[in-house]
Amino acid sequence: MSTTRPRLRSTAPAPAAPATPLDRIDRAILRAMQRDASISNVALAAKVNLSAPACLRRVERLKAEGLIKGIVALLDPRPLNAGMLVIIGVVLDRSTPDTFTDFEKAAQKLSGCLECHLVTGEFDYIVMLRTKDNDSFNRLHAEQLLYLPGVRQVRTFMVLKQVLSTTQLPI
């Protein structure tokens, strides 16, 4: 027997549309920065056929409008003792605002947690985390996962092979 749980609205504000519509140059800047955010402004300007000051103004506008949320380094997880990727499906015992809020606060403190998504379907949440290996995951499971508030069921999927992982959005 399948039961349907009511879903709650996200409390996150809806993303605002950019104040200025994106033109082909804005899109070229975003594509180039997704490939390599460490590109210098001069090199970026040359790639998109702008002067360096005009390019810098556009990048600053894209940041101010929230299209560029941050600039980060993508790290290799293996040498940092985070080589095992684990995907976890979580079912909560109740669908109440307090249960969702309590779980979300606790998930943000979960060691190695990369992502936590409220989803539709069989699970309430999908959590992605990284840990060193099976032993470290077993400790994390025993010390943290079992104590997450409001959890009725946890299904764990150990990633055997990462076929595709990207941070680049199609623009």
Side-chain angles (χ1 to χ4, degrees):
M1 180 171 111
S2 175
T3 59
T4 303
R5 292 181 305 279
R7 296 294 174 187
L8 301 176
R9 274 187 307 131
S10 171
T11 56
T20 309
L22 296 179
D23 63 16
R24 68 175 180 75
I25 294 173
D26 290 334
R27 291 176 188 283
I29 288 170
L30 293 172
R31 277 193 296 274
M33 290 189 71
Q34 279 193 119
R35 283 190 295 278
D36 181 7
S38 68
I39 189 171
S40 72
N41 182 60
V42 171
L44 179 60
K47 267 189 190 277
V48 300
N49 298 318
L50 278 182
S51 69
C55 184
L56 184 60
R57 281 192 299 275
R58 282 183 182 249
V59 169
E60 292 303 320
R61 177 179 51 80
L62 293 168
K63 287 178 180 178
E65 291 179 358
L67 283 143
I68 298 174
K69 292 172 56 173
I71 296 177
V72 300
L74 300 176
L75 308 178
D76 183 350
R78 291 191 193 287
L80 299 169
N81 291 325
M84 177 176 274
L85 180 60
V86 182
I87 300 170
I88 303 167
V90 176
V91 178
L92 299 181
D93 59 3
R94 292 187 320 266
S95 293
T96 66
D98 288 342
T99 305
F100 282 75
T101 299
D102 292 345
F103 175 82
E104 290 173 10
K105 284 180 185 174
Q108 291 176 29
K109 297 175 186 169
L110 192 60
S111 297
C113 187
L114 302 173
E115 299 181 29
C116 179
H117 303 277
L118 177 64
V119 297
T120 62
E122 182 178 346
F123 302 110
D124 291 307
Y125 290 91
I126 296 293
V127 176
M128 290 180 57
L129 63 86
R130 282 201 171 269
T131 187
K132 180 179 178 182
D133 53 24
N134 272 341
D135 291 337
S136 61
F137 177 74
N138 284 337
R139 277 191 303 280
L140 181 104
H141 185 270
E143 295 170 4
Q144 295 183 43
L145 287 175
L146 292 177
Y147 298 101
L148 288 171
V151 173
R152 176 172 46 124
Q153 181 183 30
V154 172
R155 288 219 186 126
T156 303
F157 305 90
M158 305 291 198
V159 173
L160 300 176
K161 178 181 177 184
Q162 193 164 334
V163 177
L164 173 68
S165 176
T166 184
T167 59
Q168 294 185 27
L169 299 174
I171 300 176

